[in-house]
Amino acid sequence: MMQYNFTVRKKDKGYQIIVGYKIGRTWKQKSKQGFNTQREAKAYGEQILDEIKKNVISPLDDTMQDITFIEFYSIYMNEKHELSINSRKTYDNIIYKDCTKLHNMMIKDINHKDIMNVLVNSNKSAASKNLCIVLLKAIFKHAISPYRLIRNNPCASIKKYKKASNSDVNTISNEDMDTLFNNIKDKYPIYYLVCCIARYTGARYGEIVGLCWEDIDFNNKTISINKQWSRKTDHEHGFKTPKSVNSIRTIPIPQILIDELNSINSNKTGRIFDFKNSSTSRVNYIISRYLQDKTIHMFRHTYATSLLANGVDMQTVASLLGDGLNTVINTYIHYSQEMRNNAAKSVENIFSR
């Protein structure tokens, strides 16, 4: 344990802090004056001591002092064996497209301002920027430990971006939905069925294209989500476990979807959709031909908001979506507020004299 002592004394109409510390057999000291109170002087002395301890007890590793950000990112990714292929592609997209200004900077020189410049100059959504923040924090945390390249995380004080408004959740009106379905039913029957399942289940696209006929219970009118169709390697797609434990669920479906599924002329074995990959580009292109700026994922938002607007409670909606309750609340908070307002009116009517 390092030996040290504090001395606070009056000097030049204020107070001075002197921190004495011993390295080996040698005593050294650091001092600063101009404090209004002894408490301020002692507090600054603690800061001096913390910095001394870091430098003496846990010195930085200077063998990689000139490593650039992009070089260290490669090290970081090589050591994150648990990352899925999709996560790796997402991270690469962030680093190689959005963080190019950091690439050739030495990681020890990157500061808070450099990170903020990347974020401020980005035209990405709040969600995309937040994912960038999370990734950068993790990278610099890895540089702190175990590599000891830097002491402080330049992203530490950067707060996540807030969405402009929860009411910005994109949904599709019933009128637009009917317009789409009327136009694609005969032209694109397979994608019509994809959209039907999305409309009446709120399932994610990867879950839909991973459905097998055995997952449909025609008697009890349910669909079981227990897997998804996703990228396994750069050149291979296949079945994977769902996004989370909550994603494994059984969803009740209406008779209209049962009828659409029954209308398919097949032996009803194996996968319902024989798609090779899980890309949404084709289905989104078809949707956009009739509904501008709409995507298959908006069917999920529409499903959720339709349930909430018709009195289904948040916990049930979360279960049907395969999301956590907090995710649903944070995404659709304006709907829960609408429900509270309706509840207030009901209470007034129930207990009014």
Side-chain angles (χ1 to χ4, degrees):
M1 181 179 293
M2 185 176 69
Q3 292 181 271
Y4 64 91
N5 58 59
F6 283 180
T7 301
V8 178
R9 67 181 184 180
K10 272 275 194 180
K11 186 172 183 179
D12 297 336
K13 297 181 180 181
Y15 290 91
Q16 179 188 40
I17 179 69
I18 302 172
V19 180
Y21 58 98
K22 190 176 183 180
I23 299 179
R25 297 182 179 181
T26 305
W27 278 91
K28 298 184 177 183
Q29 68 178 32
K30 288 189 177 183
S31 65
K32 186 174 177 64
Q33 64 187 55
F35 298 100
N36 294 323
T37 65
Q38 293 186 42
R39 178 176 293 181
E40 289 179 4
K42 288 181 179 178
Y44 190 80
E46 293 289 350
Q47 294 180 29
I48 293 176
L49 185 61
D50 286 343
E51 193 62 33
I52 292 170
K53 286 180 178 179
K54 287 178 181 178
N55 288 320
V56 174
I57 298 174
S58 181
L60 294 177
D61 184 350
D62 61 1
T63 60
M64 298 171 65
Q65 62 178 343
D66 295 330
I67 191 170
T68 63
F69 173 83
I70 199 64
E71 289 171 339
F72 187 76
Y73 173 69
S74 178
I75 293 174
Y76 173 82
M77 291 298 285
N78 285 336
E79 295 181 359
K80 291 295 175 179
H81 306 295
E82 72 279 8
L83 291 177
S84 68
I85 186 68
N86 284 339
S87 293
R88 290 179 180 277
K89 286 185 174 295
T90 298
Y91 292 172
D92 282 350
N93 188 60
I94 292 171
I95 298 301
Y96 289 105
K97 289 187 178 180
D98 302 333
C99 300
T100 54
K101 291 183 178 179
L102 302 177
H103 283 195
N104 296 322
M105 296 179 66
M106 287 185 286
I107 200 162
K108 67 177 183 178
D109 294 334
I110 298 174
N111 56 35
H112 174 94
K113 184 178 180 180
D114 297 322
I115 305 298
M116 288 305 301
N117 283 338
V118 169
L119 297 170
V120 170
N121 293 323
S122 171
N123 59 0
K124 295 297 182 66
S125 66
S128 295
K129 289 183 179 182
N130 288 337
L131 183 57
C132 180
I133 293 171
V134 170
L135 176 57
L136 290 176
K137 281 185 177 180
I139 293 170
F140 286 107
K141 182 180 179 181
H142 203 62
I144 294 172
S145 178
Y147 278 91
R148 294 185 293 113
L149 300 177
I150 54 176
R151 297 197 186 283
N152 302 305
N153 194 322
C155 305
S157 60
I158 296 179
K159 296 181 179 180
K160 288 186 176 181
Y161 285 79
K162 293 182 179 179
K163 293 181 181 179
S165 170
N166 280 314
S167 61
D168 289 341
V169 171
N170 289 310
T171 59
I172 304 173
S173 68
N174 285 330
E175 182 180 358
D176 283 346
M177 197 79 81
D178 290 340
T179 297
L180 173 68
F181 279 40
N182 290 334
N183 278 284
I184 68 174
K185 184 170 185 178
D186 296 327
K187 292 181 181 178
Y188 308 100
I190 296 300
Y191 289 100
Y192 167 76
L193 185 59
V194 169
C195 289
C196 281
I197 296 175
R199 181 178 188 178
Y200 298 119
T201 69
R204 302 175 180 91
Y205 185 74
E207 296 171 340
I208 294 173
V209 298
L211 284 171
C212 294
W213 284 107
E214 64 186 27
D215 298 321
I216 314 297
D217 187 332
F218 288 92
N219 293 326
N220 294 311
K221 297 181 181 179
T222 63
I223 284 181
S224 295
I225 304 293
N226 48 52
K227 56 190 173 304
Q228 63 177 328
W229 191 255
S230 183
R231 186 186 299 275
K232 300 181 75 174
T233 68
D234 283 337
H235 307 291
E236 178 189 8
H237 279 70
F239 290 120
K240 293 184 67 175
T241 55
K243 185 176 180 180
S244 67
V245 175
N246 291 334
S247 297
I248 300 175
R249 62 203 188 277
T250 299
I251 306 171
I253 55 177
Q255 184 62 44
I256 187 172
L257 181 54
I258 291 290
D259 293 341
E260 295 292 352
L261 290 165
N262 271 323
S263 69
I264 300 299
N265 185 20
S266 73
N267 57 11
K268 291 185 170 50
T269 59
R271 292 174 63 205
I272 298 176
F273 305 104
D274 191 24
F275 297 161
K276 292 182 179 180
N277 60 50
S278 56
S279 170
T280 59
S281 58
R282 178 59 177 168
V283 67
N284 284 340
Y285 166 74
I286 292 171
I287 293 170
S288 67
R289 289 192 63 186
Y290 305 98
L291 301 178
Q292 189 174 3
D293 299 325
K294 302 299 182 183
T295 68
I296 189 68
H297 191 69
M298 292 179 189
F299 284 63
R300 182 171 170 82
H301 291 315
T302 305
Y303 175 81
T305 54
S306 297
L307 294 182
L308 291 169
N310 284 278
V312 180
D313 65 273
M314 298 286 268
Q315 182 63 66
T316 301
V317 173
S319 298
L320 293 174
L321 289 174
D323 275 330
L325 180 58
N326 286 338
T327 299
V328 174
I329 291 175
N330 291 333
T331 305
Y332 306 103
I333 190 66
H334 58 296
Y335 283 91
S336 61
Q337 185 59 52
E338 180 181 333
M339 291 163 61
R340 292 188 190 97
N341 294 337
N342 291 336
K345 294 177 183 178
S346 298
V347 168
E348 179 64 30
N349 292 332
I350 292 169
F351 295 104
S352 62
R353 295 181 181 178

